[in-house]
Each structure stands twice: as structure tokens, then as C-alpha cells.
Amino acid sequence: MRLFLISLASLFSFSIYANTPDGKLNLKFTPEQYDSLLAAKTMRNMLESYDSYVNEFITLDDIDLIDTKRSIPDSVYEQRLKMMPTMIRLPYNTLVRRYIENYSIKYRSQMETMMGIARLYFPMIEEELYKRNMPLELKLLAFVESAMKVKAVSRAGATGMWQMMYATAKNYKLEINAFIDERYDARAATQAACEHLEDLYEIYHDWTLAIAAYNCGAGNVNKAIKRAGNNAKTFWDVYEYLPRETRGYVPAFIGATYAYTFHKVHDINPDKFDFGQPTDTILVQKLTHFDQISTTIPISTERLRELNPQYKLDIIPVTANKAYPLNLPIELISTFIEHEKEINAKDSLYLKEFINPANFSKTWNSPGRGTRYKVRKGDTLGALANKYHTTTRAIMKANNLKDAKSLRAGRTIYIP
């Protein structure tokens, strides 16, 4: 144990004091070094949690290996689905087979990308599902909804990893206004999505119907049940009466769940992404611009945006009545606390028009006011219009844009 501690101390440049009264080895860590240790442990636990899930019940020894370059018999797919321990019905049919082959063969590269991103988010999603005693396989809905993209926006305006519409998000207490959209906050959106799925299950007492309702709305599922007759109990009983998109939604979920569980059999290897250090949250108590932070501690404004996509204007909109969380690399938590006064002192430089929290809350959260937005690389007028519930024409008119292609990264525009 002594040699291990000395090696660990050497690795992280810790100070060692061996001459203590009781003769025991004493290690003195700085707050930053404690954060560094915690970051390493968190990353290891995150990866181990992800890797262990698919091996917990099913191993390669349990199944017959078949050359995946050849057509796999229906009986094999059906048998493997039955092997999966789940509370969700996963029947096999020709439609399910098509989606299994989409995820495991046709779009395997996309599957590898999604699984790589999932290493970061699945442990958190599983935690939220476990709290509610919900099937952990429901995390695969994030594959079907957004391909695990936290910043995804659909043409209809569904936003975030869980593709929540504005009304649904507001119904589950996600905050959306000129400065913040919590649909982009992975944990907040996951909590809302889990609550929504839980409520839908309470209505239907069948997970396939709850999943279908998550996609097309409970109203459409209720109409399908009415048309199918009172004996309809599952998605498959009402299949032909559902909207076209929803008919493929549950089969897609089954296909994604199969490919994820049996990815090793199909030689699907999760991409290895450099996510940087694991993160933790700190509660910010004062109205703060990202530039106040990036000019004080070693983190760029762009990195702050990546970690906190819910803040639309690089501003953490703290008011007298509410503080907000900030995601930071664990290794910078102590550094932020140490320099917090210095960060706050820069408010007059970066927040001149918002310096009075009372005015900020009164003026910028008032109904009908537009939004100032700093254009980012990859933004389009169509996506911005969907995001802010307006039209491309309105944005172009408000900013004297003659051509949609004239939108340039770095420019601040007004969105009515």
C-alpha cells in the first residue's frame, strides 16, 4: 500500500510528508489535485458502467456465432430477441428484421458513432431510468430520436437529444425563454423525457404503446386504439391505424436495442471520442457571461458552449430568485471557486445592459420580446426559425438580410 501511494503521489505531483507523529504516511493534496483524482475516477467508472451493461446478461458464449456477411436466418434473430431480459415486448417480424439490419449492417458506421457518444451519456440516462424503476433499454430511444445529438433540431421544432416539442417541454417544467432552452441540457431533458414516458406508461400499461405515444402523441394513439377496438393492448394491435412515421418507430427501437446488445457479434465497434475530462456542475449565483469565465480561468468560451448548450446567448441568466448550474470539467471546479470573485467583478465589462438583475428579469423575460443571437458555425435560418418559433422571412427582414446564405458565424442578429 505504501508503494502504491508513493507512485500515485508521484503521478499527480502530490506532496508527501512521511515524518508524522504516529509514523504513518501523510499525503497532502491541493483542491485541484483532489479534482484531478475525482475526474480520473469518474471517467473510469463511466466507461466501466457502459461496457458492463451489454455483458451483464448475455456473453458471446451464450450464442451461436454466425458469419454476419451472410444472411442471418429469421430464427436466429428471433432467438436473440427472446434472450434479452426486458420488460418491453420485443417481437420479431419482417419489419423488425429490416430495422435490425439497418442498425447492424446498412448503417453500422452511424451505429458505431452513436455508441461512441453513448459512452458519455448512457450512464446518466440509466441512472434516471433506474430511479423510476423503468426499463433501462428505454435509453435506446435516444438513438432513434436524435442519433444521440444533444443539439439536434427537427424541421418541426423538436429539440435536443430527446426531441421534445415546445409544449411538451414546458409541461414538464423545462425552462425555455430568450436566454435558456433546457431541452439542450442533457440531464434536464432526460429527466423530463423519463417523466413523460412514465406518465404515458401509466395511461397504457404497455411500453410499446407508451413509446408510440412519445413519438406521435397520446391523442393519436388513443384514436388508433378506438379504431382498432377495445381489445387493442399493444402497439402491434393498433399498428395500421397509427401515423406512418410511428409505424416504424417501435420497430426502429427494437432494431437499435438488438444492435446495441449484440454489437460484438456483428463486429460493431463504438467510436472512440475524446470527450475531454468528465464534468460536474456548480451553482452560479450571479448573472454571468461566458467571457467573464473564459478570460479568468483556463477554459475557452467555445468549450463552455459545448458543455452548456442550454444557454443560448452565452449568458447564465441568474436573477434575484433563481441560481443556475454551470457544467465545467471536474478539474476546473476548484479553480472556478478560487476565482469566483474575480469572475463576478467583470460583469460591468461584459454585461453592461444586464447589470441590474431586476431589470434583466423584467425586461428580457417579458412576453413578445425578441432575442439577440450570436450566430455559430453550422447555423441556418431554417433551424433558427424552428428553434425560436418564428419564420426565416421574419429573421431576414429584422436583420436586412437579402440572402439566406449571408448568415455568417460570429455575427449577432435579432430574432423577432
Side-chain angles (χ1 to χ4, degrees):
M1 175 63 74
R2 178 185 177 90
L3 288 175
F4 170 74
L5 289 174
I6 291 174
S7 299
L8 188 64
S10 175
L11 177 63
F12 290 101
S13 300
F14 295 153
S15 301
I16 301 178
Y17 298 85
N19 298 323
T20 55
D22 57 6
K24 294 182 178 179
L25 181 68
N26 176 35
L27 296 180
K28 183 178 180 180
F29 303 158
T30 67
E32 290 78 12
Q33 289 165 339
Y34 278 120
D35 283 344
S36 181
L37 275 176
L38 179 59
K41 183 178 186 301
T42 302
M43 178 63 78
R44 184 176 67 250
N45 289 347
M46 181 183 76
L47 295 178
E48 288 177 353
S49 171
Y50 176 86
D51 292 336
S52 67
Y53 177 81
V54 293
N55 296 320
E56 211 159 71
F57 300 105
I58 300 172
T59 67
L60 293 181
D61 294 335
D62 295 327
I63 61 179
D64 295 325
L65 295 180
I66 293 177
D67 185 356
T68 55
K69 295 180 181 179
R70 299 179 181 177
S71 180
I72 296 177
D74 289 333
S75 59
V76 172
Y77 283 139
E78 188 170 10
Q79 178 191 16
R80 290 177 183 174
L81 286 175
K82 288 178 180 178
M83 292 172 62
M84 295 168 59
T86 175
M87 294 186 288
I88 304 174
R89 303 180 195 209
L90 303 177
Y92 181 75
N93 54 44
T94 55
L95 183 59
V96 169
R97 179 188 179 98
R98 187 174 77 191
Y99 280 97
I100 285 177
E101 293 183 337
N102 279 348
Y103 281 102
S104 61
I105 302 172
K106 188 175 181 179
Y107 302 116
R108 61 183 295 112
S109 62
Q110 289 93 323
M111 188 69 186
E112 290 176 333
T113 299
M114 290 189 293
M115 290 188 68
I117 299 172
R119 295 170 75 93
L120 179 63
Y121 293 111
F122 270 8
M124 178 272 293
I125 297 173
E126 287 177 20
E127 178 187 350
E128 295 298 333
L129 290 167
Y130 182 79
K131 286 178 185 177
R132 297 166 176 80
N133 195 31
M134 296 167 67
L136 298 186
E137 308 81 63
L138 289 172
K139 64 181 179 288
L140 271 302
L141 283 177
F143 278 22
V144 183
E145 284 289 341
S146 66
M148 296 300 299
K149 295 177 182 177
V150 174
K151 298 180 183 179
V153 180
S154 76
R155 293 185 212 175
T159 297
M161 181 191 296
W162 294 99
Q163 290 290 277
M164 301 196 82
M165 296 297 288
Y166 179 88
T168 304
K170 296 291 281 187
N171 190 45
Y172 285 94
K173 311 303 182 187
L174 291 183
E175 188 171 354
I176 305 173
N177 56 42
F179 285 87
I180 185 171
D181 189 337
E182 288 190 317
R183 291 177 293 177
Y184 291 110
D185 183 321
R187 184 172 287 276
T190 295
Q191 291 169 344
C194 288
E195 289 178 27
H196 186 29
L197 283 163
E198 191 174 28
D199 287 345
L200 291 170
Y201 182 74
E202 285 298 311
I203 295 173
Y204 300 110
H205 298 285
D206 176 81
W207 281 114
T208 60
L209 286 176
I211 291 170
Y214 186 90
N215 176 254
C216 68
N220 282 321
V221 171
N222 290 347
K223 293 171 190 173
I225 292 174
K226 182 69 175 176
R227 289 171 180 145
N230 293 331
N231 291 327
K233 302 297 183 184
T234 74
F235 166 84
W236 302 102
D237 296 328
V238 302
Y239 171 84
E240 63 182 299
Y241 303 103
L242 290 168
R244 183 185 299 273
E245 178 188 345
T246 307
R247 293 178 198 170
Y249 190 73
V250 171
F253 167 74
I254 297 173
T257 303
Y258 169 91
Y260 171 73
T261 304
F262 293 100
H263 71 276
K264 291 183 178 178
V265 181
H266 291 272
D267 196 28
I268 297 172
N269 301 300
D271 287 345
K272 297 188 181 300
F273 291 101
D274 181 10
F275 295 112
Q277 286 298 325
T279 63
D280 198 359
T281 58
I282 188 166
L283 207 59
V284 177
Q285 305 285 348
K286 190 174 180 181
L287 187 69
T288 304
H289 194 286
F290 284 173
D291 288 347
Q292 291 175 242
I293 303 169
S294 64
T295 58
T296 308
I297 65 174
I299 186 171
S300 68
T301 297
E302 185 58 38
R303 181 63 173 149
L304 286 169
R305 290 172 183 158
E306 291 174 2
L307 296 177
N308 302 274
Q310 67 271 34
Y311 299 123
K312 299 191 288 189
L313 299 179
D314 295 349
I315 293 173
I316 307 169
V318 177
T319 65
N321 300 318
K322 186 172 182 179
Y324 285 87
L326 175 71
N327 280 316
L328 286 173
I330 289 176
E331 292 187 341
L332 289 179
I333 295 294
S334 295
T335 304
F336 180 92
I337 294 171
E338 181 183 350
H339 294 278
E340 193 164 11
K341 289 184 179 178
E342 185 181 349
I343 291 170
N344 291 338
K346 295 181 177 182
D347 57 1
S348 60
L349 179 61
Y350 294 101
L351 292 165
K352 292 179 182 178
E353 56 195 304
F354 310 117
I355 200 67
N356 186 329
N359 291 339
F360 162 79
S361 180
K362 179 180 179 182
T363 304
W364 287 90
N365 288 326
S366 60
R369 185 167 181 97
T371 298
R372 291 190 312 159
Y373 179 82
K374 189 174 183 179
V375 179
R376 301 177 184 178
K377 185 178 180 181
D379 281 339
T380 65
L381 284 176
L384 291 175
N386 282 332
K387 180 177 177 181
Y388 291 98
H389 308 286
T390 184
T391 64
T392 57
R393 180 175 295 182
I395 297 176
M396 292 177 70
K397 183 177 179 180
N399 296 276
N400 292 319
L401 296 175
K402 305 300 182 184
D403 184 351
K405 295 180 180 179
S406 61
L407 195 66
R408 295 286 183 268
R411 174 179 177 178
T412 298
I413 62 173
Y414 176 79
I415 301 180

